[in-house]
Each structure stands twice: as C-alpha cells, then as structure tokens.
Amino acid sequence: MRTPEQCQNMADIRAEIDRLDRQVIALLGQRFAYVKAASKFKTSETAVKAPDRFQAMLQQRRVWAEAEGLNGDAIEALYRDLVNHFIAEEMKHWQQSQPEQS
C-alpha cells in the first residue's frame, strides 16, 4: 500500500484506487449480508422499508461524508441509490420467507 504522496506515476495511482475500490466492494458485500439477515427480524413490508430509519441513515452518512471533506450531496445520492437497491433485495428475501397464505 502506498500513500498518494508515495505514488511515482499514474500506474501507481490507478493500482491504489483499484485496491481501495476492491475493498469498498467487499465491504458492500458484507453490508448486504447484514441487510438480508435483518429481514428475519422484520414483521411487515413497512418495517422492511423503514422510511424513518432510511432518512436518518442518509443524514448520518451526509455528516460523515462532510467530516471527511466529501460532498454531502454526492454521498447522500450514492447511499440513496445503494440502499434503495438493498431495500428492494431485502423485500424479496422477506417476502420469500413469509408463509404462504391461502
């Protein structure tokens, strides 16, 4: 691992960005595993969607982003898209776990 200052050329920069992106994607995979596991604790579609939690989560990610010197709008948009996808996947998982109704 090289710091940005230690990189000697664009190949070094790109290699480090790729390494970081791979870690980010691995972490997103871990996050998704928790999302799927959460579905077993949800009792309704509203609980899966959790709109109040969703809004609070977006606000917290914005705060964290700004504390890191990142654009809060961009990070909020990224998380909005990501979590909406995860909610849709969690909903499928939750619906499949529900008993058949006759």
Side-chain angles (χ1 to χ4, degrees):
M1 179 182 142
R2 293 183 173 134
T3 66
E5 296 76 22
Q6 292 171 327
C7 292
Q8 300 293 310
N9 52 50
M10 283 305 297
D12 290 350
I13 295 283
R14 289 180 179 136
E16 291 305 316
I17 288 172
D18 288 349
R19 183 184 61 74
L20 289 170
D21 284 348
R22 189 162 184 87
Q23 290 177 351
V24 167
I25 290 168
L27 289 170
L28 290 173
Q30 291 175 27
R31 188 186 197 288
F32 186 47
Y34 283 102
V35 168
K36 289 187 293 187
S39 69
K40 68 184 170 191
F41 300 106
K42 307 286 179 84
T43 57
S44 68
E45 288 189 11
T46 301
V48 172
K49 293 177 184 175
D52 292 340
R53 164 67 182 148
F54 182 69
Q55 290 305 317
M57 178 276 304
L58 289 176
Q59 182 58 40
Q60 184 62 62
R61 296 330 175 252
R62 172 182 283 280
V63 169
W64 293 345
E66 290 170 354
E68 292 295 326
L70 299 171
N71 181 294
D73 290 339
I75 297 302
E76 182 177 333
L78 184 141
Y79 268 90
R80 184 178 303 278
D81 287 348
L82 176 72
V83 175
N84 276 326
H85 169 72
F86 282 174
I87 288 169
E89 292 297 313
E90 182 183 0
M91 184 66 74
K92 286 187 225 172
H93 193 75
W94 181 82
Q95 288 170 338
Q96 291 170 354
S97 71
Q98 297 308 298
E100 292 284 326
Q101 299 207 357
S102 357

